[in-house]
Amino acid sequence: EAWTWELMALTRARPVAGDTSLCSRLDETIEGILLRERDVKGVLDDAADMRERLEQAKPAQSVWDIKARRGGIQDIEFIAQTLQLAHAGQLRGVRQSTTAALAGLGHAGHLSVDDARFLIETLQLQLGMLQVLRATHGSGFTPERASQACQARLAHIAGHSTLSELQANLEERCARVRSLFNAHVREI
């Protein structure tokens, strides 16, 4: 049996080139590995431990580190991938985008429909913000160094008129994401 982190990586594996029959066999092999029954508590414990180690090894640089911060993109991805592995036998497909995985987990009852919708909306918001932040500032965004145009674009992504409104919204969303991470990965 593969380690949980290897299995999490397989949830995102996709053949992108090569012989059609080889790609089909690879897809079948990966799907077969992912659909095996496994110790749910072990998967959850491994995932929680892995996220904790990742936070220690590569801590978020600021509240604007949308990917690594608590309640950020990585937490949402961990929720989706961990729950996919924990409940693989009960899901129609395991290897999907994070958005599709969250929708499927909500449909199957492993997340409430409202929580799945919230996680999808938050992921889309955070990915949009990440694109603007990386395009304009690389990995070192600080509001003090940002142009008014960049601040306005970031605020607009979330439907706000100011960066401070966006930051308040982001803080609330990240707190709820982290709470969902704790409820579905850490505390089960």
Side-chain angles (χ1 to χ4, degrees):
E1 181 79 35
W3 295 89
T4 299
W5 66 271
E6 292 169 325
L7 292 170
M8 289 173 76
L10 283 179
T11 66
R12 299 181 68 148
R14 310 281 187 282
V16 294
D19 178 70
T20 306
S21 65
L22 176 62
C23 289
S24 293
R25 286 194 321 264
L26 182 58
D27 272 336
E28 290 171 12
T29 300
I30 292 170
E31 198 72 14
I33 292 168
L34 292 174
L35 291 175
R36 289 182 192 152
E37 288 207 24
R38 54 191 45 90
D39 173 38
V40 173
K41 178 145 177 40
V43 168
L44 298 173
D45 289 346
D46 285 352
D49 179 62
M50 185 181 350
R51 181 64 179 118
E52 188 174 313
R53 285 186 286 132
L54 187 57
E55 286 177 6
Q56 291 172 0
K58 293 183 177 185
Q61 301 302 306
S62 74
V63 296
W64 296 102
D65 190 346
I66 304 300
K67 187 165 177 94
R69 70 170 289 172
R70 287 179 176 224
I73 294 168
Q74 287 177 345
D75 276 358
I76 296 172
E77 290 172 339
F78 264 78
I79 292 167
Q81 293 170 10
T82 302
L83 291 179
Q84 280 183 291
L85 290 176
H87 305 293
Q90 303 162 16
L91 300 172
R92 289 188 192 140
V94 178
R95 294 170 43 231
Q96 314 173 43
S97 69
T98 303
T99 300
L102 291 167
L105 289 161
H107 180 74
H110 301 297
L111 286 170
S112 75
V113 172
D114 287 341
D115 287 344
R117 186 177 312 122
F118 167 78
L119 289 168
I120 291 167
E121 290 170 0
T122 300
L123 178 63
Q124 291 170 341
L125 168 67
Q126 290 177 342
L127 289 172
M129 290 177 60
L130 184 64
Q131 289 176 350
V132 172
L133 291 172
R134 285 190 174 165
T136 58
H137 292 274
S139 61
F141 176 79
T142 59
E144 300 79 32
R145 292 187 4 227
S147 69
Q148 291 296 324
C150 178
Q151 290 184 27
R153 179 67 184 134
L154 279 171
H156 177 74
I157 287 171
H160 296 291
S161 55
T162 67
L163 196 60
S164 61
E165 289 175 6
L166 169 60
Q167 186 170 354
N169 178 301
L170 183 62
E171 293 301 322
E172 288 176 23
R173 285 180 175 275
C174 287
R176 183 171 171 195
V177 168
R178 192 55 177 211
S179 176
L180 290 170
F181 174 85
N182 289 334
H184 290 284
V185 178
R186 283 198 197 278
E187 298 177 2
I188 291 183

